[in-house]
Amino acid sequence: MNGPLTPFSQFLHADKYRAEGESFDESTNRIASGLTDGTRAQFLELRAILRDMRFMPAGRIQSAVGSVRNVTAYNCFVSGIIDDSFVDGEGSIMDRAKEAAITMRMGGGIGYDFSRLRPKGALIKKLGSKSSGAISFMEIYNATGQCIASSGHRRGAQMGVLRVDHPDIEEFIHKKQELGVLEGFNLSIGVTDEFMVAVRDDTTFDLRWEGDVYSTINARALWEKIMRGTWDWGEPGVLFLDTINRENNLYYCEQIEATNPCGEQPLPPFAACLLGSFNLTRYIFLVPDVGNDGEPDGSHHGYEFNWDQFRADIPPVVRAMDRVVDISTYPLPEQEREAHNKRRMGLGITGLANAAETLGYPYGSEEFLAFERKVLMYLRDEAYSASSSLAAEKGSFPLFDADKFLESGFAKRLPPGVRTAIKLDGLRNSHLISIAPTGTISLCADNVSSGIEPVFSTSVTRTVQTFDGPTEQTIEDYGFATWGIKPKECKDVTAAEHLAVLLVAQEFTDSAVSKTCNVSPQMGWLDFKDIYMKAWEGGAKGCTTFNPEGKRMGILKAAMAKDGSGSCEIDPETGRSDCQ
């Protein structure tokens, strides 16, 4: 049987990604047909990969490709630049809010940088009044997103970014520290190297807007407030903007100031993320013992990873995902031009914890990290080689410049053979690797461990809210249910192990990594803050932590108790709890 096996996963896949009455096999036929641009052999090869769930396109691709629904195949976007004007001129606050509404209505989440908006109290000369500040205008976007069910069951997901040197940064840090405020947003601070050096060296730091210094503060004091926010409330996250732009393959033609809502795709204005993940559990196979006659004797001596199959699957997936750029519907013409000029995609992995632990490598161990490094090295090298071969056949992305491209921080780490191929044949896609959260598609694959995260729990009860009402299911971790492997659960993984897994992933990822470092409530305060400093020093593009005994979790528990249900409604598309 192809596709998910458990009743919960079968229901979820049908509910989220298939037309009424469409079977799993019929959906793979539809997707493979839409993403094949050549021979029947290509179609059959891709269909086999999709049917075995060795590769799972992101949800928007699965629901959009070949469908009659007017939705985009892209999961997430970044807004155009929000200029410091309420209604006047292209790029005004209200223009971008309208564009965001159009984007979310067609199924895309969206990220914004609010740093160009004048700070609270600044003079508005035209009106002879003072500004209410950058943060106040986020409420417009929040209300817009909360009103829109984006081509399905979820409200539009949004990310709000403010630079650490903006004069309103302290208000931004504290904005979500109560229930019911900006609930449609994730928040991240755009941190610069200048600020991190000031924190490290314990010096002062200027808060400024349009060249004017509004105040000079102690960098460590501001850092302390940021860290307290993340410890108590899980937000704001931190984006390392200079690392993002220094590593960016397209540093020579774009500036990145924001990310998609989950942070795995730093993107320039109007850009979008095209995501999909290889399911590593499908490459695990049982190694049979053989008798004296050389034939299997019915027993086995362990599990191995099918490296040959993994490598063979990457080129057809690159070809298929590249085709999405050409066939997708785009909410805005600016988004379509951006996608065609750069042809970004973000291939990632899921089931890493399940696969590695089945091979005997506990999460975060040296053996685990070595396996993760090898998987991602193969993915990076094969994907870039396949994109270069595709460029020789179809042409490079329009903004490709070989000499400049190969000087990016990431491209310098590509192996010599791949760099030579790019120099000679070009490159079809500007970016190829991204580690996404993979919440829903992992659940659809019988609850494999999500992305590069550890197993949350061997068994969980999930409540999924649909338009027909909630449905509750108790489901087991895939590795435990399938192979009897007792996982290292999230609560047992140290912050150092989380960070090590993050940094290995970032080394081989040209976009970014969505990863939450869960921390012990008993962790020392200096050790906690050191996670972020080490993430910056180690080359991460961002960092997010979660303290299970923080103030936000306390509010959620209280809401659950008041409700009396004992469980949250989980939106499987975003992985967010709705304990309200």
Side-chain angles (χ1 to χ4, degrees):
M1 179 178 177
N2 297 312
L5 300 178
T6 62
F8 173 80
S9 297
Q10 290 170 346
F11 156 76
L12 188 61
H13 192 276
D15 184 57
K16 301 298 291 185
Y17 304 139
R18 306 202 306 254
E20 186 175 353
E22 185 180 43
S23 70
F24 177 83
D25 280 353
E26 287 169 341
S27 73
T28 59
N29 286 342
R30 166 175 56 82
I31 298 166
S33 178
L35 298 186
T36 300
D37 61 356
T39 65
R40 179 165 175 78
Q42 289 178 354
F43 164 77
L44 294 174
E45 182 179 39
L46 180 61
R47 187 180 68 172
I49 294 170
L50 297 175
R51 282 190 171 180
D52 195 30
M53 302 186 88
R54 300 200 299 270
F55 178 78
M56 297 181 292
R60 291 302 170 204
I61 298 173
Q62 294 194 47
S63 60
V65 171
S67 169
V68 297
R69 300 167 66 199
N70 184 32
V71 295
T72 180
Y74 284 80
N75 275 59
C76 302
F77 298 80
V78 158
S79 168
I81 292 172
I82 304 174
D83 288 330
D84 185 47
S85 170
F86 189 65
V87 294
D88 296 333
E90 184 179 351
S92 70
I93 293 166
M94 295 309 296
D95 279 345
R96 296 304 186 221
K98 178 182 178 181
E99 292 170 353
I102 295 169
T103 300
M104 287 186 282
R105 188 166 177 265
M106 289 188 64
I110 190 164
Y112 320 84
D113 172 47
F114 292 97
S115 303
R116 284 178 171 79
L117 302 186
R118 72 187 65 198
K120 180 181 289 187
L123 179 66
I124 305 174
K125 293 181 181 179
K126 280 186 179 180
L127 303 178
S129 62
K130 293 184 177 181
S131 172
S132 57
I135 315 305
S136 65
F137 293 107
M138 294 178 65
E139 297 286 359
I140 296 171
Y141 294 82
N142 184 67
T144 301
Q146 293 295 84
C147 290
I148 295 172
S150 58
S151 63
H153 307 151
R154 64 169 181 166
R155 290 186 174 94
Q158 300 179 87
M159 168 69 84
V161 177
L162 195 73
R163 283 176 61 95
V164 73
D165 52 14
H166 192 282
D168 289 347
I169 190 62
E170 291 191 46
E171 181 185 357
F172 186 79
I173 294 167
H174 299 298
K175 187 63 179 178
K176 285 186 69 176
Q177 294 179 4
E178 57 182 288
L179 199 62
V181 176
L182 294 182
E183 290 187 326
F185 269 94
N186 295 327
L187 299 183
S188 286
I189 296 175
V191 170
T192 61
D193 286 351
E194 177 192 5
F195 177 72
M196 294 304 293
V197 169
V199 172
R200 185 190 64 197
D201 297 345
D202 195 15
T203 57
T204 59
F205 182 74
D206 290 336
L207 302 183
R208 50 192 181 263
W209 185 77
E210 288 202 336
D212 294 329
V213 175
Y214 277 65
S215 62
T216 299
I217 52 97
N218 179 272
R220 283 192 180 176
L222 180 58
W223 187 238
E224 190 80 6
K225 292 181 180 181
I226 296 170
M227 292 294 97
R228 282 293 171 190
T230 63
W231 174 264
D232 287 336
W233 301 95
E235 285 187 273
V238 169
L239 304 174
F240 298 115
L241 292 180
D242 290 320
T243 303
I244 286 170
N245 284 288
R246 185 167 50 245
E247 285 280 305
N248 183 17
N249 287 345
L250 295 183
Y251 69 94
Y252 58 88
C253 63
E254 65 183 28
Q255 181 73 17
I256 293 177
E257 298 170 335
T259 74
N260 72 323
C262 291
E264 76 273 12
Q265 278 278 337
L267 296 167
F270 292 115
C273 51
L274 188 63
L275 302 171
S277 298
F278 288 91
N279 179 3
L280 300 184
T281 66
R282 292 299 199 268
Y283 297 95
I284 299 293
F285 66 96
L286 198 62
V287 182
D289 279 333
V290 295
N292 294 330
D293 59 357
E295 296 295 324
D297 62 9
S299 62
H300 69 275
H301 66 267
Y303 298 92
E304 290 186 7
F305 189 84
N306 192 338
W307 296 103
D308 290 340
Q309 184 67 67
F310 180 56
R311 295 177 71 176
D313 285 347
I314 295 171
V317 165
V318 170
R319 175 181 287 273
M321 292 287 280
D322 178 72
R323 180 160 167 75
V324 178
V325 177
D326 297 320
I327 67 171
S328 178
T329 299
Y330 294 85
L332 302 172
E334 296 91 341
Q335 295 162 347
E336 183 171 12
R337 286 195 296 270
E338 174 72 18
H340 281 265
N341 278 335
K342 299 168 185 176
R343 310 190 71 85
R344 269 181 165 89
M345 71 175 72
L347 305 181
I349 58 174
T350 193
L352 174 64
N354 283 158
E357 291 181 327
T358 300
L359 296 173
Y361 312 142
Y363 191 91
S365 66
E366 288 301 319
E367 297 87 354
F368 182 99
L369 297 176
F371 175 71
E372 177 191 12
R373 184 174 287 108
K374 186 174 180 179
V375 165
L376 292 174
M377 181 181 68
Y378 274 30
L379 176 58
R380 178 198 65 182
D381 296 352
E382 293 297 329
Y384 269 83
S385 294
S387 183
S388 182
S389 296
L390 205 56
E393 176 186 338
K394 296 185 174 185
S396 297
F397 65 91
L399 294 182
F400 176 68
D401 183 313
D403 292 334
K404 293 178 180 178
F405 183 94
L406 291 170
E407 285 302 307
S408 74
F410 179 83
K412 286 180 179 178
R413 295 196 298 276
L414 293 171
V418 175
R419 286 175 59 86
T420 298
I422 292 172
K423 181 72 173 176
L424 293 176
D425 296 327
L427 200 65
R428 182 68 172 168
N429 316 95
S430 69
H431 296 72
L432 287 142
I433 314 296
S434 182
I435 308 298
T438 73
T440 309
I441 61 173
S442 297
L443 283 170
C444 287
D446 297 318
N447 195 33
V448 301
S449 57
S450 179
I452 62 171
E453 301 287 5
V455 173
F456 179 76
S457 177
T458 303
S459 178
V460 295
T461 299
R462 289 188 176 269
T463 304
V464 180
Q465 182 72 3
T466 73
F467 283 143
D468 297 324
T471 178
E472 189 171 276
Q473 294 278 343
T474 298
I475 55 176
E476 291 184 320
D477 164 61
Y478 180 87
F480 180 76
T482 304
W483 298 308
I485 303 298
K486 176 67 175 171
K488 186 174 182 177
E489 295 184 353
C490 187
K491 62 183 175 62
D492 299 317
V493 178
T494 68
E497 290 167 339
H498 277 293
L499 183 58
V501 171
L502 167 64
L503 293 179
V504 167
Q506 188 60 77
E507 179 184 354
F508 296 95
T509 302
D510 54 24
S511 291
V513 179
S514 179
K515 173 95 179 75
T516 299
C517 299
N518 289 274
V519 297
S520 166
Q522 287 73 48
M523 172 177 282
W525 182 239
L526 294 179
D527 291 336
F528 172 74
K529 291 191 293 184
D530 202 38
I531 293 172
Y532 286 82
M533 186 61 70
K534 286 181 176 176
W536 171 62
E537 293 171 343
K541 294 181 179 178
C543 189
T544 302
T545 56
F546 183 71
N547 169 18
E549 294 186 12
K551 293 181 180 179
R552 172 160 294 170
M553 199 61 194
I555 288 176
L556 292 178
K557 287 178 180 177
M560 289 165 62
K562 183 177 179 180
D563 177 68
S565 65
S567 65
C568 297
E569 293 178 353
I570 303 295
D571 181 342
E573 192 70 27
T574 63
R576 292 178 179 168
S577 299
D578 187 26
C579 299
Q580 302 174 37

